[in-house]
Amino acid sequence: MIKVGIIGSTGYAGGELARLLLQREDVEIKWYGSKSYVGQKYAAVYQNMFQIVEEVCREEDMTRLAKEVDVIFTATPQGLCASLVSEEILSETKLIDLSADFRIKDVAVYEEWYKIKHPSPQFIEEAVYGLPEINREAVKKARLVANPGCYPTCSTLTVYPLAKEGLINTDTLIIDAKSGVSGAGRGAKVDNLYCEVNESCKAYGVAVHRHTPEIEEQLTYAAGKSVLLNFTPHLIPMNRGILITAYASLTREVSYEEVKAVYDKYYEAEQFVRVLEKDVCPQTRWVEGSNFVDVNFKIDPRTKRVIMMGAMDNVVKGAAGQAVQNMNLLFGLPENTGLKQIPLFP
Amino acid sequence: MIKVGIIGSTGYAGGELARLLLQREDVEIKWYGSKSYVGQKYAAVYQNMFQIVEEVCREEDMTRLAKEVDVIFTATPQGLCASLVSEEILSETKLIDLSADFRIKDVAVYEEWYKIKHPSPQFIEEAVYGLPEINREAVKKARLVANPGCYPTCSTLTVYPLAKEGLINTDTLIIDAKSGVSGAGRGAKVDNLYCEVNESCKAYGVAVHRHTPEIEEQLTYAAGKSVLLNFTPHLIPMNRGILITAYASLTREVSYEEVKAVYDKYYEAEQFVRVLEKDVCPQTRWVEGSNFVDVNFKIDPRTKRVIMMGAMDNVVKGAAGQAVQNMNLLFGLPENTGLKQIPLFP
Amino acid sequence: MIKVGIIGSTGYAGGELARLLLQREDVEIKWYGSKSYVGQKYAAVYQNMFQIVEEVCREEDMTRLAKEVDVIFTATPQGLCASLVSEEILSETKLIDLSADFRIKDVAVYEEWYKIKHPSPQFIEEAVYGLPEINREAVKKARLVANPGCYPTCSTLTVYPLAKEGLINTDTLIIDAKSGVSGAGRGAKVDNLYCEVNESCKAYGVAVHRHTPEIEEQLTYAAGKSVLLNFTPHLIPMNRGILITAYASLTREVSYEEVKAVYDKYYEAEQFVRVLEKDVCPQTRWVEGSNFVDVNFKIDPRTKRVIMMGAMDNVVKGAAGQAVQNMNLLFGLPENTGLKQIPLFP
Amino acid sequence: MIKVGIIGSTGYAGGELARLLLQREDVEIKWYGSKSYVGQKYAAVYQNMFQIVEEVCREEDMTRLAKEVDVIFTATPQGLCASLVSEEILSETKLIDLSADFRIKDVAVYEEWYKIKHPSPQFIEEAVYGLPEINREAVKKARLVANPGCYPTCSTLTVYPLAKEGLINTDTLIIDAKSGVSGAGRGAKVDNLYCEVNESCKAYGVAVHRHTPEIEEQLTYAAGKSVLLNFTPHLIPMNRGILITAYASLTREVSYEEVKAVYDKYYEAEQFVRVLEKDVCPQTRWVEGSNFVDVNFKIDPRTKRVIMMGAMDNVVKGAAGQAVQNMNLLFGLPENTGLKQIPLFP
């Protein structure tokens, strides 16, 4: 039995973590941490848990928690995990951080984009970026896993094979992303009210979104050269889902079959990445509630560009599902344990 | 291994059946029947099944199918199951019919409300109305299960305890129902286009909806006297979910605790019916993707009425999930096998 | 030129008032009052007003405002208008209050349901309930108009003719209402976040909603006897729209034609109430953005009840549009001035 | 009084045309043409028109219609207008075609992208591309106006000033577009059912969408050199609205103020194009129901690109509203006659 603690269990990612883990028989959630709901019944915060969870929300005491559990998930705002973590904690328990604190290796970049001072830069180096399709072996041996951001997960997996194989000129790379509203979190803000989001569409964080350097770093590793790109997220009136549309110039003339073979090379053996059939565009509804990323591409011979597309559930593969996938790796379990959900439709 | 065939596997209920059964290791789907998509890959009809289902859609040959499987589900339009079933088929396999063909015991009532001649009235008597919370023992021994309609499932379970215990005057019973759009099926009709349904709300089938006599029959059994009621369904712009708001005059002055005790008497031991805490109104989002029905009530001392409320996922407990629940009973399995999904939120 | 001031111009009803009035050439808005946005540009709060409104939000100084304008609209929380109004103000300007402060004639009822002490009961008697279809002549002569609530407007207009003519037994009256989310206002609350409302449906305020006594009072006048009823509102995932489904027993056997004639008697000459053709159910999308109320009914001979239905845009006829209609009456203008919008579809 | 005929009045664009024109006192609609609903009451097809339009839908007889009206609008599938038009018709009446038949000057390009033979290429040369912000003077003198496509209107207006002034390298231009579902029309297709579109997002027509050459042609005129670009539309779960996000490399280092000045140069005098304030991103909700296009831009100094954004109501400025704007020009009326609607919110 793996004993688990969740810090930030009352946000959307934390709630999904609880939902995924509660359906397993080899895991026990020992600690439902929360900042806003301490002392309240968890099932009163998430009524779907009625008669399923009897526990009460507890404070965010990571030191004490570390002694009680085998793994801690932090689904908290930037800076919190980094301010709580210590060598002592890491010597007692595994830590999977769903915030951005340990995703970026260059602390100066982190501090510039996140506008906060990093509270514990000494752990950045050992932290493993938890994108199993790329870093699987490193994750298995980690103490501290930096669970990737939602946009970076989908963006990186969509672009990675072509960047890695040098088929695209990464200087021309543009990533246009669309996300459901759960990505904005559960905070009470006028901007996220139903009537403000419904029946509308907008870009936000244009040229300054914090996921940009995270994507750039991963694609820099892939391309073997520094990648600077434009990343533009958009808010879409739906609960879940991220769609990535990425554009880049091809470095040479290629056929559909060649590009397909490159995607297959990286993803044929992957359980959670599905390379769709020719001319089928990824749609977020076909992955909802699952840990899948559906990817595909289209070559435009007129402009000599390739359009790469990826669809994913931002709350699952983009947050809680990927965290569980990382937990499975940390504990030597089959990677898809508790993650076999077939997408819910309609 | 239970071998299963689905006739009507490409409708929304059939698709959900496939989804629920594919996640089990004790079940094998041998036959994906379809009228419109024969010869096409199932995963091309439901792209969420990509790399999960390799099978092709097959014709609706129930006779042949009966020889190959242990249980047949029919998720088809009214009249089809009744026109295909035979003594020979029932001697070879179990049959769970998700259509209305065998739900109503009085064939004249069926023919009046459904405007078709019943093709095989000889099987009506033996068919068991598959609402396990009420007919559990009978289901276990059945050959032919009439899986209840979505509205009748939620309506009956919401009202049943008070009707059974004589706390409400059933002559005053009014059921106002709200349903998501998946209940309207996957047929291509202008009325169900996105732009026609989105941002709107309407009643339909007022005073003539076909689920009316089904609800009346079940509540007549409960009340021990003939029940006539008003049932008004409404179309709500959401994919899944049914909400029932039922009104009836109380037969005597009662306290909250007395009524609560009545609900608990019937549902405390039930895994799929959750009686909510005082003053918590059922919401469809808290049951989405699960086999739960959430019920609650409010006494209005001013009008001496009780307002009974129930929320349910129409595709799960209202169709495919309940069919699986019935299958579990037929095969002597724990009733919640494959039905432990926690509601998906958000 | 009618000079107008709006107190509470940054809520949804206030914003709609501004929108309606800005499209007129005989009206000038002199004062955009706000509690939360004083000193900010109105067009920064409502970006649709960019390059249309240059004014800045101002404080809620009704005394000063009364000297500057011909009519004040208050689209504010309960109690505010009643706490600001005075004989001096009413002697200087007309006042149309969109809150509930002056809608209910019995101050004890107001205080019981609204849980606040009425700050100026001395004005209740002279206030005119601004439902022009019923109180047209009184409105014309008023100084203080109590603009009806959204649910009461739609409920009353849907039920009024049959209550007035004694065709229904008002002791059996049940009103089940469905509303879009704009009715909940623009306050930042978790309950009204996109992901909490989207893909869900719930009842709220069951047996205790504050619009109940307002509906009861109006229908009591119509029926000529005290009316107690059940009113249950539901939250529907759409921006605008209210749908009323009302149930009552008929006092005698009646034909469709008789009931239709009763509706026509009251509404044939009305510009904003449309009695639909036989068997056509009102839908909120067909009135969106307009001042129409669409009503219809269905007789159920089995249960001897009539089901009455009404659809309306809660922000227009349920708030700002009706306020403009009342303003037109106060100033002797054609009642539909500035209210000829055809419903927007899709 | 301008007498108007609409061919294709029962599609979404045709319905919006009717709605806009019915609110005018200087226009009379003489002919509601339809292919699917001939002989049916128009108000039965669009229930919002109940008691507003009494006419019945008529066949699409352009020859006869030309004798009865001053201007014909064709809101019909590709090829229909071109197959009906003749010199005789153009000598009798003005023609505003909302289809693509006369938008593209090079008939070979039209035939390649639309996969049909052009039925009347002899009229292509004289047809005026009806984007008034660019072709105003030519429109005034036209007999035949080719009303622009929805995506091309928003794309062109968003990019035009920077292409015209040489600030962007058009070889690097990428246009990522998002559209509401009304753009897909009112045909009954499974793909456009509520449950198939709701809670999902997808790209479609990748690298082959027919609006691509139309955008390229307009931007080629602007840039003074041949423009090839990538245009990728996405389907968004909302009724109305188009959002354009366009990316291009800057040809030289520029400041915010310089780029702003360029936009202002072209749009300051325009009534329907609003250049937003710094850092305000266009949102479709702020233009819904109006003829506005909201545009803005963001310079990314890291990548030396500019991100250009535009939001528009696809049914108004993207179809019916622009057609009315063109009609106003044809008849020497103020360009905003009947187009002063303030965006509807929420």
Side-chain angles (χ1 to χ4, degrees):
Chain A
M1 185 70 71
I2 303 171
K3 284 176 285 184
V4 164
I6 305 173
I7 297 186
S9 69
T10 52
Y12 289 142
E16 186 75 351
L17 255 178
R19 197 181 68 85
L20 290 172
L21 295 174
L22 285 162
Q23 302 191 57
R24 292 174 63 155
E25 298 186 354
D26 61 340
V27 169
E28 187 185 6
I29 304 178
K30 303 288 285 184
W31 190 292
Y32 292 85
S34 176
K35 187 170 180 182
S36 314
Y37 299 96
V38 178
Q40 296 186 40
K41 291 189 71 170
Y42 190 71
V45 179
Y46 283 123
Q47 189 73 25
N48 53 334
M49 299 299 185
F50 182 63
Q51 293 181 352
I52 297 170
V53 178
E54 298 301 329
E55 277 84 349
V56 158
C57 296
R58 301 165 73 174
E59 73 281 15
E60 297 169 343
D61 183 343
M62 197 191 280
T63 307
R64 188 172 144 208
L65 177 52
K67 300 191 193 313
E68 299 191 18
V69 300
D70 302 309
V71 57
I72 296 173
F73 295 93
T74 47
T76 46
Q78 316 313 331
L80 187 79
C81 176
S83 73
L84 297 176
V85 69
S86 69
E87 181 57 36
E88 189 192 347
I89 287 169
L90 288 179
S91 68
E92 292 173 323
T93 189
K94 303 281 188 185
L95 180 55
I96 300 175
D97 177 26
L98 281 77
S99 85
D101 287 359
F102 298 102
R103 294 178 194 157
I104 292 172
K105 289 296 173 199
D106 183 335
V107 68
V109 171
Y110 174 89
E111 294 183 346
E112 180 192 340
W113 287 79
Y114 284 88
K115 311 292 179 204
I116 51 176
K117 180 141 186 65
H118 198 295
S120 54
Q122 69 274 23
F123 297 113
I124 293 179
E125 196 186 332
E126 84 154 287
V128 174
Y129 190 73
L131 194 54
E133 288 75 11
I134 291 174
N135 285 340
R136 183 167 287 119
E137 295 312 313
V139 170
K140 289 180 183 172
K141 293 172 285 197
R143 297 195 300 177
L144 170 55
V145 174
N147 209 60
C150 51
Y151 288 125
T153 295
C154 198
S155 299
T156 303
L157 291 174
T158 299
V159 175
Y160 184 84
L162 301 198
K164 181 81 175 173
E165 297 289 319
L167 283 187
I168 55 174
N169 176 354
T170 53
D171 291 344
T172 65
L173 188 58
I174 284 165
I175 297 179
D176 190 285
K178 296 89 182 166
S179 173
V181 187
S182 54
R186 213 188 187 199
K189 287 187 279 188
V190 168
D191 273 358
N192 294 336
L193 290 178
Y194 184 84
C195 290
E196 308 287 318
V197 172
N198 188 37
E199 294 296 291
S200 195
C201 181
K202 67 169 177 183
Y204 65 99
V206 181
V208 298
H209 193 277
R210 294 164 168 190
H211 283 171
T212 309
E214 186 181 337
I215 300 168
E216 289 177 342
E217 181 176 333
Q218 295 305 315
L219 293 179
T220 291
Y221 298 146
K225 52 174 276 204
S226 177
V227 174
L228 276 193
L229 53 79
N230 275 100
F231 169 71
T232 312
H234 297 77
L235 192 67
I236 305 296
M238 57 184 188
N239 281 350
R240 290 175 178 235
I242 277 181
L243 187 75
I244 296 296
T245 313
Y247 304 84
S249 296
L250 290 159
T251 51
R252 58 180 174 87
E253 203 173 306
V254 285
S255 67
Y256 167 79
E257 288 72 21
E258 283 176 275
V259 178
K260 178 67 159 61
V262 167
Y263 272 104
D264 286 342
K265 171 178 171 187
Y266 289 90
Y267 295 142
E268 205 159 36
E270 290 296 336
Q271 305 180 64
F272 295 124
V273 184
R274 303 191 293 191
V275 184
L276 301 184
E277 294 181 347
K278 198 177 181 199
D279 289 331
V280 177
C281 289
Q283 300 188 33
T284 63
R285 63 174 161 142
W286 296 128
V287 295
E288 189 182 341
S290 82
N291 204 48
F292 288 124
V293 180
D294 282 1
V295 299
N296 212 348
F297 66 91
K298 178 91 180 185
I299 297 167
D300 187 349
R302 299 167 67 248
T303 61
K304 301 185 173 37
R305 290 197 190 99
V306 62
I307 300 102
M308 297 156 277
M309 294 168 280
M312 183 191 80
D313 185 320
N314 60 306
V315 192
V316 187
K317 181 63 177 170
Q322 185 145 268
V324 170
Q325 190 180 353
N326 282 315
M327 184 193 85
N328 291 338
L329 288 172
L330 290 176
F331 289 88
L333 301 169
E335 200 168 321
N336 66 357
T337 308
L339 293 173
K340 293 169 198 161
Q341 293 83 0
I342 296 175
L344 187 78
F345 175 80
Chain B
M1 183 70 72
I2 302 172
K3 284 176 285 183
V4 165
I6 305 174
I7 297 185
S9 69
T10 52
Y12 289 144
E16 186 75 351
L17 255 178
R19 197 180 69 85
L20 290 172
L21 295 174
L22 285 162
Q23 302 190 58
R24 293 174 64 154
E25 299 187 351
D26 61 340
V27 169
E28 187 186 5
I29 303 178
K30 304 287 285 186
W31 192 292
Y32 291 85
S34 175
K35 187 171 178 181
S36 314
Y37 299 95
V38 177
Q40 295 186 39
K41 291 189 71 170
Y42 191 71
V45 179
Y46 283 123
Q47 188 74 23
N48 53 333
M49 299 299 184
F50 183 63
Q51 293 182 353
I52 297 170
V53 178
E54 298 301 329
E55 278 84 349
V56 158
C57 296
R58 301 165 73 176
E59 74 281 13
E60 296 169 344
D61 183 342
M62 197 191 281
T63 306
R64 186 170 146 211
L65 178 52
K67 300 190 194 313
E68 299 190 17
V69 300
D70 301 310
V71 58
I72 297 172
F73 294 93
T74 48
T76 47
Q78 316 313 329
L80 187 79
C81 177
S83 72
L84 296 176
V85 69
S86 69
E87 180 56 36
E88 189 193 346
I89 287 167
L90 289 179
S91 69
E92 293 173 323
T93 189
K94 302 282 188 184
L95 181 54
I96 300 175
D97 178 25
L98 281 76
S99 86
D101 287 358
F102 298 101
R103 294 178 194 157
I104 292 174
K105 289 296 174 200
D106 184 335
V107 68
V109 171
Y110 174 89
E111 294 183 346
E112 181 191 339
W113 287 79
Y114 284 88
K115 311 292 179 204
I116 49 175
K117 179 138 188 68
H118 199 294
S120 53
Q122 69 273 22
F123 296 113
I124 295 179
E125 197 186 332
E126 85 154 285
V128 174
Y129 189 75
L131 195 54
E133 287 76 10
I134 291 173
N135 284 341
R136 181 167 289 119
E137 295 311 313
V139 170
K140 290 180 183 171
K141 293 172 288 198
R143 296 195 302 176
L144 170 54
V145 174
N147 209 61
C150 53
Y151 288 126
T153 295
C154 198
S155 299
T156 303
L157 291 174
T158 300
V159 175
Y160 183 83
L162 301 198
K164 181 83 175 172
E165 296 289 318
L167 283 186
I168 55 173
N169 176 355
T170 52
D171 292 342
T172 66
L173 188 58
I174 284 166
I175 298 178
D176 191 284
K178 296 89 182 165
S179 173
V181 188
S182 54
R186 214 188 187 199
K189 287 187 280 187
V190 168
D191 273 359
N192 294 337
L193 291 177
Y194 183 83
C195 290
E196 309 286 318
V197 172
N198 187 37
E199 293 297 292
S200 194
C201 181
K202 66 169 178 182
Y204 66 100
V206 181
V208 298
H209 193 278
R210 294 164 168 191
H211 283 172
T212 309
E214 185 180 337
I215 301 168
E216 289 178 343
E217 181 176 332
Q218 295 305 315
L219 293 179
T220 292
Y221 298 146
K225 51 173 278 204
S226 177
V227 173
L228 277 192
L229 52 78
N230 274 101
F231 169 72
T232 312
H234 297 76
L235 192 66
I236 304 298
M238 58 185 188
N239 282 349
R240 292 176 178 234
I242 278 181
L243 186 76
I244 295 297
T245 315
Y247 304 85
S249 296
L250 291 159
T251 50
R252 58 181 174 84
E253 204 173 303
V254 285
S255 68
Y256 167 79
E257 287 72 20
E258 281 176 276
V259 177
K260 178 65 159 61
V262 167
Y263 272 104
D264 286 343
K265 172 179 169 187
Y266 288 90
Y267 296 142
E268 205 159 36
E270 290 297 337
Q271 304 179 64
F272 295 124
V273 184
R274 304 192 292 192
V275 184
L276 301 183
E277 294 181 347
K278 199 179 180 198
D279 289 331
V280 177
C281 289
Q283 301 188 33
T284 63
R285 65 175 161 140
W286 297 128
V287 294
E288 190 183 338
S290 82
N291 204 47
F292 288 124
V293 181
D294 281 2
V295 299
N296 213 348
F297 66 91
K298 179 89 180 187
I299 296 166
D300 186 350
R302 298 168 67 250
T303 62
K304 300 184 175 35
R305 291 198 189 99
V306 62
I307 300 102
M308 298 156 277
M309 295 167 280
M312 184 190 80
D313 185 320
N314 59 306
V315 192
V316 187
K317 181 63 175 169
Q322 185 145 269
V324 170
Q325 191 180 353
N326 282 315
M327 185 193 83
N328 290 340
L329 289 171
L330 289 176
F331 289 87
L333 301 169
E335 199 168 322
N336 66 357
T337 309
L339 294 173
K340 292 169 198 160
Q341 294 83 0
I342 296 175
L344 187 78
F345 175 81
Chain C
M1 186 69 73
I2 302 171
K3 284 175 286 183
V4 165
I6 305 174
I7 297 186
S9 69
T10 52
Y12 289 143
E16 185 75 351
L17 256 177
R19 196 180 69 86
L20 290 172
L21 295 173
L22 285 163
Q23 302 190 57
R24 293 174 64 154
E25 297 187 353
D26 61 340
V27 170
E28 187 187 5
I29 304 178
K30 304 287 284 185
W31 191 293
Y32 292 84
S34 175
K35 186 169 180 184
S36 314
Y37 299 96
V38 177
Q40 296 186 39
K41 291 190 70 170
Y42 191 71
V45 179
Y46 284 123
Q47 188 74 24
N48 53 333
M49 300 298 184
F50 183 64
Q51 293 182 352
I52 297 170
V53 178
E54 298 301 330
E55 277 84 349
V56 157
C57 296
R58 301 165 72 176
E59 74 281 15
E60 297 169 344
D61 183 343
M62 198 190 280
T63 306
R64 187 171 146 210
L65 178 52
K67 299 190 195 312
E68 299 190 17
V69 300
D70 302 309
V71 58
I72 297 172
F73 295 92
T74 47
T76 46
Q78 316 312 331
L80 186 78
C81 177
S83 73
L84 296 176
V85 69
S86 69
E87 181 56 36
E88 190 192 348
I89 287 169
L90 288 179
S91 70
E92 292 173 323
T93 191
K94 302 282 188 185
L95 181 54
I96 300 176
D97 177 26
L98 281 78
S99 85
D101 286 359
F102 298 102
R103 294 178 193 156
I104 292 172
K105 288 297 174 199
D106 184 335
V107 69
V109 171
Y110 174 90
E111 295 183 345
E112 181 191 339
W113 287 78
Y114 284 88
K115 312 290 180 205
I116 50 176
K117 181 141 186 65
H118 198 295
S120 54
Q122 69 275 21
F123 297 113
I124 293 178
E125 196 186 332
E126 85 154 289
V128 174
Y129 190 74
L131 194 54
E133 288 75 10
I134 290 173
N135 285 341
R136 182 167 288 119
E137 294 312 314
V139 170
K140 290 180 183 171
K141 293 171 286 197
R143 296 195 301 177
L144 170 54
V145 174
N147 208 61
C150 52
Y151 289 125
T153 295
C154 197
S155 299
T156 303
L157 291 174
T158 300
V159 174
Y160 183 84
L162 301 198
K164 181 81 175 175
E165 296 290 318
L167 283 187
I168 55 173
N169 176 355
T170 53
D171 292 343
T172 65
L173 188 58
I174 284 164
I175 297 179
D176 190 285
K178 295 90 183 164
S179 173
V181 187
S182 55
R186 213 188 187 199
K189 286 187 281 189
V190 169
D191 273 359
N192 294 337
L193 291 177
Y194 183 83
C195 291
E196 309 287 318
V197 172
N198 187 37
E199 294 295 293
S200 195
C201 181
K202 67 169 176 181
Y204 65 99
V206 181
V208 298
H209 193 277
R210 294 163 168 191
H211 283 172
T212 309
E214 185 179 338
I215 301 168
E216 288 177 342
E217 181 176 333
Q218 293 306 314
L219 293 179
T220 292
Y221 298 147
K225 50 175 277 204
S226 177
V227 174
L228 276 192
L229 53 78
N230 274 101
F231 169 71
T232 313
H234 297 77
L235 192 66
I236 305 297
M238 58 186 188
N239 281 350
R240 289 175 178 236
I242 278 181
L243 187 75
I244 295 296
T245 314
Y247 303 84
S249 296
L250 290 159
T251 51
R252 59 179 174 87
E253 203 173 305
V254 286
S255 67
Y256 167 79
E257 288 71 21
E258 282 177 275
V259 178
K260 178 66 159 59
V262 167
Y263 272 103
D264 285 343
K265 171 178 170 186
Y266 288 90
Y267 295 141
E268 205 159 37
E270 291 296 336
Q271 305 179 65
F272 295 124
V273 184
R274 304 191 292 192
V275 184
L276 302 183
E277 294 181 347
K278 198 178 181 200
D279 289 331
V280 177
C281 289
Q283 300 188 33
T284 62
R285 64 176 160 140
W286 296 129
V287 294
E288 189 182 339
S290 82
N291 205 46
F292 289 124
V293 181
D294 282 1
V295 299
N296 212 348
F297 66 92
K298 178 92 180 185
I299 297 167
D300 187 350
R302 299 167 66 248
T303 61
K304 301 183 175 36
R305 291 197 189 100
V306 62
I307 299 102
M308 298 155 277
M309 294 167 279
M312 184 191 80
D313 185 320
N314 59 306
V315 192
V316 187
K317 181 64 176 169
Q322 186 146 267
V324 170
Q325 190 180 354
N326 282 315
M327 184 193 84
N328 290 340
L329 289 172
L330 289 176
F331 289 88
L333 302 169
E335 200 168 321
N336 66 358
T337 309
L339 294 173
K340 292 169 198 161
Q341 293 83 359
I342 296 176
L344 187 78
F345 175 81
Chain D
M1 184 70 70
I2 303 171
K3 285 175 285 185
V4 166
I6 305 173
I7 296 186
S9 69
T10 52
Y12 289 143
E16 186 74 351
L17 256 178
R19 196 180 70 86
L20 290 172
L21 295 174
L22 284 162
Q23 303 190 58
R24 293 174 64 154
E25 298 187 353
D26 61 341
V27 170
E28 186 186 4
I29 304 178
K30 303 288 284 185
W31 191 291
Y32 291 84
S34 176
K35 187 172 179 182
S36 314
Y37 299 95
V38 177
Q40 295 186 39
K41 292 189 71 169
Y42 190 71
V45 179
Y46 283 122
Q47 189 73 23
N48 52 333
M49 299 299 185
F50 183 63
Q51 293 182 355
I52 297 170
V53 178
E54 298 301 330
E55 278 84 350
V56 158
C57 296
R58 300 166 74 177
E59 73 281 15
E60 296 169 343
D61 183 343
M62 198 190 280
T63 306
R64 187 172 145 209
L65 178 52
K67 300 189 195 313
E68 298 190 18
V69 300
D70 302 310
V71 58
I72 297 173
F73 294 93
T74 47
T76 46
Q78 315 312 331
L80 187 79
C81 177
S83 72
L84 296 176
V85 69
S86 69
E87 180 56 36
E88 190 193 346
I89 287 169
L90 289 179
S91 69
E92 293 173 323
T93 189
K94 303 280 189 186
L95 180 55
I96 300 175
D97 177 26
L98 281 77
S99 85
D101 286 358
F102 298 102
R103 294 178 194 157
I104 292 173
K105 289 297 174 199
D106 184 334
V107 68
V109 171
Y110 174 89
E111 294 184 346
E112 180 192 339
W113 287 79
Y114 284 87
K115 312 290 180 205
I116 50 175
K117 179 138 188 69
H118 198 294
S120 53
Q122 69 274 23
F123 297 113
I124 294 179
E125 197 186 332
E126 85 154 286
V128 174
Y129 189 74
L131 194 54
E133 287 76 10
I134 291 174
N135 285 341
R136 180 167 289 119
E137 294 313 313
V139 170
K140 289 180 184 172
K141 294 172 287 198
R143 296 195 301 175
L144 170 55
V145 175
N147 209 61
C150 53
Y151 288 125
T153 295
C154 198
S155 299
T156 304
L157 291 173
T158 300
V159 174
Y160 183 85
L162 301 198
K164 182 83 175 171
E165 297 289 319
L167 283 186
I168 54 174
N169 176 354
T170 52
D171 293 342
T172 67
L173 187 58
I174 284 165
I175 298 179
D176 190 285
K178 296 90 182 166
S179 173
V181 188
S182 55
R186 214 189 187 198
K189 286 187 281 188
V190 169
D191 273 0
N192 295 336
L193 291 177
Y194 184 83
C195 290
E196 308 287 317
V197 172
N198 187 38
E199 294 296 291
S200 195
C201 181
K202 66 169 177 182
Y204 65 99
V206 180
V208 298
H209 194 278
R210 294 164 168 190
H211 283 171
T212 308
E214 185 180 338
I215 301 168
E216 289 178 342
E217 181 176 332
Q218 294 306 314
L219 293 179
T220 292
Y221 299 146
K225 51 173 276 204
S226 177
V227 173
L228 277 193
L229 52 79
N230 274 101
F231 169 71
T232 312
H234 297 76
L235 192 67
I236 304 297
M238 58 185 188
N239 281 350
R240 290 175 178 237
I242 278 181
L243 186 75
I244 295 296
T245 314
Y247 304 84
S249 296
L250 291 159
T251 51
R252 58 180 175 85
E253 204 172 304
V254 286
S255 67
Y256 167 79
E257 287 71 20
E258 282 176 276
V259 178
K260 178 66 160 60
V262 167
Y263 273 104
D264 286 342
K265 172 178 170 187
Y266 288 90
Y267 296 142
E268 204 159 37
E270 291 297 335
Q271 304 179 63
F272 296 124
V273 184
R274 304 191 292 191
V275 184
L276 302 183
E277 294 180 346
K278 198 178 181 200
D279 289 331
V280 177
C281 290
Q283 301 189 32
T284 63
R285 65 175 161 141
W286 296 127
V287 294
E288 189 183 338
S290 82
N291 204 47
F292 289 124
V293 180
D294 281 3
V295 299
N296 213 347
F297 65 91
K298 179 90 180 185
I299 296 166
D300 186 351
R302 298 168 67 248
T303 62
K304 301 184 175 36
R305 291 198 190 99
V306 62
I307 299 102
M308 298 155 276
M309 295 167 280
M312 183 191 79
D313 185 320
N314 59 307
V315 192
V316 187
K317 180 64 175 169
Q322 185 145 270
V324 170
Q325 191 180 353
N326 282 316
M327 185 193 83
N328 290 340
L329 289 172
L330 289 176
F331 290 87
L333 301 169
E335 199 168 321
N336 66 357
T337 308
L339 294 173
K340 293 169 197 159
Q341 293 83 359
I342 296 174
L344 186 78
F345 175 80

